[in-house]
Amino acid sequence: MNRERIVILGGGMAALTTAFELTSTPGWEEHYEVTVYQQGHRLGGKGASGRNHERFDRIEEHGLHLFYGFYDNAFSVMRRCYEELGRPAGAPLATLEEAFEPHSLIVFEEQSEGVWQHQPLLFPRNSDPPGLGRKVPTPAELIPIMLQFLLDLFDEQPALRNGSDARSRSLGVGIRVLRRGVARLLASLRELLAAPAENLVAVRREELLRRLLAWSAAVFRRCEPLLAQQPEIRSAWAAVDITLAMIRGMIADGLTDQDDVDWLRLDHEDFRAWLRRHGASEASVRASTVSGVYAGAYSAGREMGAGTALHWTLRMLYTYRGAIFYKMQAGMGDVIFAPLYQVLRRRGVHFRFFHRIDRLRLSADRRRIAAIEMGRQIAVKGGADYEPLFDVKGLPCWPSEPLYDQLIGGEALRASGESLEDWGSRYPDQEPPLVLEDGRDFDRVVLGVGLGVLPALCEEIVADANNPRFAAMIREITTTPTVSSQLWIRDDLRATGWHLPPPVMIPYAAPLDTWADMSHLLSRESFPEPGGPQSIAYLTAAMDDDEPPPIERSAYVGYAARQLEHVRAFTAAHLDASAAHLWPAIVRPDGALDRSRLHAPASKGDPLAFQHFSPVQHPSDRYVLSPRGTTRHRLAADESGYENLVLAGDWTLTPMNLGCVEAATMSGIRAAQVLTGLPIPMHDDWLRGRPRAPASSPGPLYIERGVNESTSPPYDARSSVMVAALLRAEPRRLRDLCARHLGLHEDRVYIPLGPSVVFYAQDNRLLSAIDAPGVVAERDFGFLVPVAICERRGGRLEPLAVGAYTPYLWVDLGAALVGGREVLGFPKGHADLGFEATASGHLALHVDAWLPPEGGGAATPWRHERIVEARDAGEGARETSLLDALRASHDAAWLGAAGLDTRAQVRLLGLAADSLRTGAFTMVFLKQFRDAARREIACYQAIVEAPCRRIGAPRTSARLPRPIELSVSRRVGLASTLGLVGEGGDERVRLRALASFYMELDFTIGVGEVVTPRSSGASRWVS
Ligand SMILES: Cc1cc2nc3c(=O)[nH]c(=O)nc-3n(C[C@H](O)[C@H](O)[C@H](O)COP(=O)(O)OP(=O)(O)OC[C@H]3O[C@@H](n4cnc5c(N)ncnc54)[C@H](O)[C@@H]3O)c2cc1C
């Protein structure tokens, strides 16, 4: 039997889920042989924990870990694992339910005038068991759930339940106003939302948004006087305000129109900025509930992609099963990784501990992983398999240090004090290196190590010019070191002065902004009774890199030890400055923690030194962040760029994209799907079947030279003045134009919205680009065609967005010419642009472009020629009626002929209304480069789309009092290409605008995405 040899590198949640799902497929053992390679003595990675036998078998975690109630995939894996494990009834943690205890109290911390205040929130429970996931509600279905949840949340809080027994009359009034308001809003929205989601078209959407805005303004007016004095009202209002902003944002950004939302679409913006844009107040976006989302993802003080953070927040709050959180009832290693190890081992998966992966090598043709170089850290006596677990009170557990007596030279290793989990360990490898070779030792490789170590292991891949996406992923997706400290306290929680039930607290004072009481773990440890500790506190946070993190192993020597000292000092400072607010009964008069209240043997000196501190001692352990604009750089399991390399880890593209156990589990399921080709189920897999950019990249890494002005989006324009004229155009010409310029893929279709084009002139006074400091002033004039961006699905055209294709465009600045053309594909020309415009109607615009002479000899110079001239039509001139203007911008018969059925047209109307209201639309570009030898050939051609969005409301927005009149040269062919309908002779066509507008506004153009690259023959637009 020829079994495929699957080698899994690393033993974290992602890697072990891959092994678990692969070996859950029927008959797997006939097809695969699976081996997991793990450095050091234990599995778990960022989730690893160990028992310190020398210190009463206490649990020592890499970091505090909680499961969220919505972890459908992680709970499903663990549920199946526990069932197969089959521990006898009465054994410790025999079932999933015994291993995970629901937890509902989150204490948010608010600072008011420099004083911290507890804001406890008890989250309602429900009877759904975790890990038996139901379908996740669509955004439209979520709206009533979100409002009902607010009411349930109020009911759950003694302080908010009933206004009548509130501390003061004004608090009671405030509570009643909020409660009644939310209940009325819910009732009125229910009726609007009763129809199917697809009918949430423009009119109803507008009505919803109008009601939401009016409601929140009215309630805010009534609550405002109370906000300063009543912390309960302040936090309740923040919860209401953020909920409403999320609802408004979901409606306005069209998420409620879709069953299957593309959350990545919002990731170019920071979550807080997105909430602000949808009406949340500054106080609310800074409130602890929102800060808690950031701190929970180790992103305090950083940005997070709005789509990822919103999706996470919605799942966390509204789709949890049972309880919002679950606390593990032993160490994470004992609860997760020991059962997974035992089940996988029983199934026949091989584990090779003490194997450190050093390097992946590519084949000569750079299509495959040719070899994997490993260091063999130490050998097991008698050549046997290492047995990694030991028993603590009847529970199989990982030790904090290797079980030395199984190892050859184990005593010497112990005596050295070195850790084989330290990337910079000085302990020499005890065995010769091992090189696994493609075809001889393995057929496919799963890369399951953490992101932070990839630059060291994958040097050849990062440098592979054929695979720039891998290098971009490593460059763009960032990681942070974390700190974790565990304290064993001699007093029980109540005796420390904490007066609430055991909490999870987030976000409290920096530097250790998260605290969870973990006293329930005492019964699993072996401290003496009496005389042992009575409570346990876990503290954690992200920290800044105090020195650039080294990558090479040799440079890492000593790094972990320095980090440990750093974490100790960090913790000491935190306990001196901030313990009094948590544990007022065990602090000294100066407010610092009384360290004698920490449990430690009398002989051990400073009791703080006896506690557990966990620094990042391996680059793989760095927490993976989700800053805005980065998810698009994530690679999916099958996008490594090599035939035999599959990716798994919380850094890959998954439906979650956030550093958490659920994302790691999803990535493991995806990797198993790729390996087996089977549709292994995954809950909330909204990415499945979604069109993506091609897996292989079309070119090598861009060479930065620093002087070629090729700035990249996002571009931000502040204080821009814009004049726009709607012009009549011939339908046939526009259709031809779209088909010829944008018809690169039969499934992505661009249809002109109506028989009209827009001439616009923009004076951008403060334009900035993401990768270049400072601002430039630039003018942009052009013609754009409003289009419906559609996707062909099962024979139907489905409108996705309203867009604008700009076939002609001029700028007056060289830098603007290069940046926009090169990166996005703006078809920019260089021109002198005359711009005089006022809201009162005075107007004089011109485009003087450089053109070659029509006749004359070779020595005749190019000259400036007036291509376009625009003026106001003068006193007495009247514009076309608005109805005529509307008819020109939208034509049902025309859209029907183009293939949009009635449902699609209704949806398109909704999208257009949204776009007008929010000022957000998609810019469409034909990006192309001419072949060097054959000028009629494009050597590269692609359709690029980029979001364009108004920032806030326009400062001024008005219809001009008199229409614009244009005179357009026939010389360059733009009048005929656009089918401009006007009068005039051979030289120029003269037109009068159907409607003319003046605006002063700020806007932003986001990062572009290649949606349909042109390829020879077969489509590379994969699904
Ligand atoms: C402090 C902290 C707290 C967290 N808290 C939570 C939480 O409360 N809830 C939650 O859901 N998520 C939490 N997370 C995130 C969660 O831990 C991770 O998302 C998840 O564990 C990642 O799993 P992974 O398999 O992708 O990667 P990892 O866990 O990093 O696994 C990588 C594996 O590769 C191995 N490896 C690395 N390099 C090598 C090498 N050179 N040779 C051999 N093996 C190697 C590692 O030892 C490990 O086994 C937290 C993370 C941190 C850092």
Side-chain angles (χ1 to χ4, degrees):
M1 185 168 50
N2 250 348
R3 298 195 298 169
E4 191 183 3
R5 288 152 301 183
I6 309 282
V7 157
I8 299 183
L9 307 182
M13 191 65 195
L16 295 184
T17 302
T18 309
F20 184 82
E21 293 293 4
L22 181 68
T23 56
S24 297
T25 55
W28 74 271
E29 52 284 72
E30 288 164 32
H31 303 291
Y32 307 107
E33 187 181 334
V34 183
T35 309
V36 176
Y37 288 88
Q38 169 66 52
Q39 67 170 17
H41 68 283
R42 61 182 158 176
L43 302 173
K46 296 189 240 307
S49 74
R51 296 306 194 101
N52 188 334
H53 193 52
E54 308 289 304
R55 298 191 171 179
F56 310 104
D57 296 324
R58 71 184 191 186
I59 294 163
E60 297 178 341
E61 297 275 353
H62 172 68
L64 163 68
H65 273 79
L66 299 164
F67 263 47
Y68 288 69
F70 79 85
Y71 283 4
D72 292 339
N73 293 291
F75 270 121
S76 160
V77 166
M78 292 318 299
R79 181 176 288 286
R80 286 177 282 145
C81 176
Y82 271 82
E83 281 166 9
E84 188 169 332
L85 193 62
R87 284 181 179 154
L93 310 189
T95 63
L96 183 86
E97 281 69 23
E98 288 169 43
F100 290 89
E101 190 69 30
H103 179 90
S104 299
L105 177 66
I106 306 184
V107 179
F108 295 97
E109 290 293 313
E110 291 282 355
Q111 226 177 355
S112 174
E113 293 168 3
V115 179
W116 288 98
Q117 287 170 341
H118 304 319
Q119 299 292 332
L121 266 191
L122 197 59
F123 284 78
R125 297 260 175 110
N126 60 53
S127 55
D128 293 349
L132 297 175
R134 285 181 274 111
K135 182 184 158 297
V136 174
T138 64
E141 289 163 350
L142 267 178
I143 293 177
I145 296 175
M146 291 163 82
L147 293 170
Q148 183 60 52
F149 184 82
L150 271 179
L151 292 177
D152 295 347
L153 199 64
F154 286 0
D155 280 344
E156 206 70 31
Q157 320 309 317
L160 297 177
R161 190 173 304 145
N162 187 346
S164 58
D165 55 6
R167 211 172 53 247
S168 68
R169 205 183 142 270
S170 61
L171 177 58
V173 171
I175 292 167
R176 280 195 294 276
V177 168
L178 276 179
R179 280 197 62 95
R180 257 189 246 137
V182 176
R184 282 206 196 118
L185 187 66
L186 177 60
S188 87
L189 292 195
R190 270 221 171 100
E191 147 221 333
L192 268 169
L193 289 163
E198 67 189 24
N199 295 339
L200 196 69
V201 291
V203 181
R204 279 191 332 118
R205 197 182 300 130
E206 286 302 316
E207 172 60 12
L208 269 170
L209 287 169
R210 196 187 58 70
R211 281 196 208 183
L212 282 167
L213 278 171
W215 181 89
S216 54
V219 175
F220 181 70
R221 267 197 306 278
R222 293 202 58 191
C223 291
E224 199 180 6
L226 299 171
L227 296 180
Q229 311 132 21
Q230 308 283 2
E232 290 91 342
I233 295 292
R234 204 164 47 238
S235 56
W237 167 253
V240 172
D241 195 21
I242 293 298
T243 306
L244 293 187
M246 290 196 294
I247 294 177
R248 278 195 297 266
M250 282 156 56
I251 297 172
D253 284 355
L255 308 187
T256 41
D257 299 350
Q258 301 158 27
D259 287 352
D260 226 358
V261 173
D262 178 359
W263 301 96
L264 302 184
R265 191 158 65 80
L266 307 183
D267 269 343
H268 62 279
E269 193 173 11
D270 173 45
F271 184 44
R272 279 201 172 99
W274 185 86
L275 288 170
R276 257 184 228 115
R277 194 158 58 75
H278 293 295
S281 71
E282 192 55 33
S284 299
V285 300
R286 294 278 151 211
S288 55
T289 36
V290 178
S291 304
V293 172
Y294 281 74
Y298 289 92
S299 299
R302 298 181 156 99
E303 290 189 327
M304 286 182 76
T308 294
L310 174 66
H311 179 230
W312 165 266
T313 307
L314 296 173
R315 291 291 328 265
M316 168 175 66
L317 293 179
Y318 310 116
T319 68
Y320 62 74
R321 329 255 176 230
I324 185 154
F325 279 144
Y326 285 81
K327 281 184 175 170
M328 282 169 260
Q329 297 302 297
M332 181 152 175
D334 316 334
V335 169
I336 307 287
F337 298 109
L340 278 172
Y341 165 75
Q342 289 181 305
V343 164
L344 289 174
R345 181 109 186 258
R346 227 186 265 165
R347 285 182 181 181
V349 172
H350 308 291
F351 285 87
R352 302 279 177 261
F353 290 96
F354 305 110
H355 282 68
R356 186 195 58 246
I357 295 106
D358 285 338
R359 208 164 296 278
L360 271 62
R361 288 210 324 257
L362 292 180
S363 59
D365 62 4
R366 291 185 295 175
R367 290 175 56 184
R368 296 179 67 82
I369 301 302
I372 304 162
E373 295 175 1
M374 294 188 196
R376 282 191 292 174
Q377 300 175 298
I378 202 158
V380 180
K381 287 177 185 163
D385 278 347
Y386 177 69
E387 300 295 336
L389 304 176
F390 81 127
D391 186 284
V392 178
K393 294 183 167 179
L395 189 68
C397 297
W398 301 92
S400 284
E401 294 183 13
L403 297 169
Y404 294 108
D405 52 1
Q406 292 184 39
L407 305 175
I408 300 172
E411 278 316 309
L413 174 61
R414 188 208 302 263
S416 74
E418 291 282 328
S419 162
L420 299 183
E421 292 178 329
D422 176 353
W423 184 234
S425 166
R426 290 185 193 83
Y427 204 74
D429 289 346
Q430 303 296 299
E431 293 289 301
L434 177 67
V435 179
L436 302 184
E437 284 183 17
D438 182 22
R440 187 190 72 186
D441 305 306
F442 64 87
D443 299 302
R444 273 191 290 176
V445 187
V446 177
L447 185 59
V449 299
L451 180 71
V453 76
L454 291 186
L457 307 194
C458 302
E459 226 176 343
E460 280 189 29
I461 298 182
V462 174
D464 182 359
N466 284 337
N467 192 6
R469 290 186 71 203
F470 200 93
M473 173 190 71
I474 299 232
R475 194 181 56 235
E476 299 291 336
I477 304 174
T478 46
T479 59
T480 178
T482 51
V483 291
S484 292
S485 308
Q486 291 170 223
L487 309 176
W488 285 262
I489 303 174
R490 290 167 57 186
D491 309 87
D492 69 25
L493 188 60
R494 194 147 278 280
T496 63
W498 177 257
H499 63 277
L500 294 165
V504 169
M505 174 185 281
I506 193 168
Y508 179 44
L512 283 161
D513 62 17
T514 307
W515 162 47
D517 173 78
M518 300 298 273
S519 306
H520 63 281
L521 297 178
L522 280 170
S523 64
R524 302 264 166 232
E525 298 172 334
S526 310
F527 285 97
E529 245 336 309
Q534 301 299 309
S535 59
I536 306 178
Y538 284 14
L539 304 164
T540 183
M543 67 181 207
D544 290 333
D545 279 305
D546 59 325
E547 58 178 297
I551 298 298
E552 279 304 323
R553 276 198 325 115
S554 53
Y556 222 84
V557 174
Y559 178 83
R562 286 195 299 283
Q563 290 300 304
L564 178 62
E565 276 322 304
H566 201 64
V567 174
R568 276 209 187 106
F570 220 58
T571 309
H574 181 74
L575 295 177
D576 284 350
S578 304
H581 179 61
L582 310 181
W583 310 307
I586 56 166
V587 293
R588 299 187 319 227
D590 65 356
L593 181 80
D594 175 358
R595 293 191 188 174
S596 70
R597 302 317 302 158
L598 298 174
H599 177 269
S603 57
K604 292 285 177 186
D606 179 0
L608 187 63
F610 191 73
Q611 313 307 307
H612 177 64
F613 306 96
S614 175
V616 165
Q617 58 172 351
H618 194 290
S620 171
D621 288 345
R622 293 169 63 90
Y623 183 88
V624 179
L625 297 165
S626 307
R628 78 180 171 103
T630 60
T631 37
R632 67 198 183 89
H633 292 290
R634 287 176 175 246
L635 300 177
D638 58 348
E639 291 183 321
S640 73
Y642 306 97
E643 291 162 359
N644 59 349
L645 184 66
V646 176
L647 308 179
D650 63 354
W651 43 274
T652 61
L653 181 73
T654 67
M656 199 57 74
N657 298 320
L658 192 135
C660 68
V661 173
E662 179 71 352
T665 308
M666 287 171 129
S667 85
I669 298 175
R670 185 71 91 226
Q673 289 172 346
V674 171
L675 288 169
T676 60
L678 295 173
I680 297 169
M682 187 191 315
H683 296 288
D684 195 19
D685 186 6
W686 55 268
L687 272 176
R688 194 174 177 80
R690 190 166 285 277
R692 303 198 296 266
S696 61
S697 173
L701 275 188
Y702 188 89
I703 309 289
E704 289 290 353
R705 283 173 293 212
V707 290
N708 58 5
E709 300 163 334
S710 81
T711 56
S712 305
Y715 299 115
D716 269 358
R718 304 278 161 166
S719 306
S720 295
V721 178
M722 179 183 183
V723 172
L726 184 71
L727 306 168
R728 189 168 280 131
E730 279 179 52
R732 188 175 49 81
R733 301 278 180 149
L734 290 184
R735 254 195 313 255
D736 287 354
L737 174 82
C738 284
R740 207 153 52 80
H741 291 203
L742 305 176
L744 264 62
H745 193 284
E746 58 182 28
D747 287 342
R748 190 79 162 190
V749 182
Y750 301 85
I751 300 170
L753 276 184
S756 62
V757 299
V758 174
F759 169 72
Y760 71 95
Q762 244 168 239
D763 192 13
N764 300 314
R765 293 162 187 178
L766 299 169
L767 196 71
S768 57
I770 184 87
D771 58 355
V775 291
V776 292
E778 164 204 324
R779 287 178 179 165
D780 275 74
F781 288 16
F783 288 89
L784 65 81
V785 183
V787 291
I789 303 175
C790 303
E791 196 173 286
R792 203 179 293 282
R793 289 184 193 156
R796 282 190 68 244
L797 278 182
E798 185 69 23
L800 302 178
V802 168
Y805 172 55
T806 309
Y808 294 97
L809 179 61
W810 297 273
V811 291
D812 62 349
L813 188 75
L817 190 74
V818 178
R821 253 182 115 120
E822 183 183 89
V823 182
L824 289 176
F826 276 108
K828 286 176 175 175
H830 193 211
D832 277 355
L833 301 174
F835 187 94
E836 282 176 46
T838 62
S840 58
H842 167 72
L843 199 84
L845 311 167
H846 67 250
V847 178
D848 291 352
W850 282 103
L851 294 179
E854 280 182 291
T860 316
W862 282 41
R863 62 193 177 86
H864 261 134
E865 189 170 311
R866 187 143 298 184
I867 303 276
V868 182
E869 189 164 351
R871 321 198 144 272
D872 64 276
E875 291 302 327
R878 292 177 57 110
E879 282 207 279
T880 327
S881 73
L882 202 55
L883 195 64
D884 271 2
L886 278 175
R887 275 199 197 113
S889 48
H890 171 260
D891 185 326
W894 150 307
L895 291 171
L900 287 171
D901 61 21
T902 313
R903 201 178 110 196
Q905 286 193 36
V906 170
R907 180 164 153 68
L908 185 59
L909 262 179
L911 292 170
D914 270 356
S915 188
L916 280 177
R917 189 178 45 73
T918 60
F921 63 94
T922 303
M923 301 188 77
V924 182
F925 306 96
L926 167 63
K927 176 171 169 174
Q928 57 174 352
F929 294 98
R930 201 188 285 282
D931 183 77
R934 298 176 55 195
R935 65 176 311 277
E936 72 281 14
I937 300 280
C939 57
Y940 174 83
Q941 209 168 49
I943 302 298
V944 174
E945 290 179 4
C948 179
R949 200 176 280 285
R950 199 179 63 219
I951 304 170
R955 269 182 268 281
T956 311
S957 168
R959 204 167 164 193
L960 282 169
R962 297 177 295 278
I964 297 178
E965 275 188 353
L966 276 96
S967 156
V968 180
S969 164
R970 290 201 191 273
R971 203 181 137 197
V972 286
L974 78 89
S976 59
T977 305
L978 290 170
L980 294 178
V981 179
E983 299 163 354
D986 293 346
E987 291 283 308
R988 305 189 77 81
V989 54
R990 282 195 307 280
L991 320 96
R992 177 168 287 193
L994 296 162
S996 314
F997 302 93
Y998 175 94
M999 244 184 275
E1000 289 174 18
L1001 77 169
D1002 302 336
F1003 65 92
T1004 175
I1005 298 176
V1007 175
E1009 201 172 335
V1010 175
V1011 287
T1012 57
R1014 173 94 81 191
S1015 67
S1016 47
S1019 150
R1020 285 168 54 194
W1021 189 52
V1022 292
S1023 56

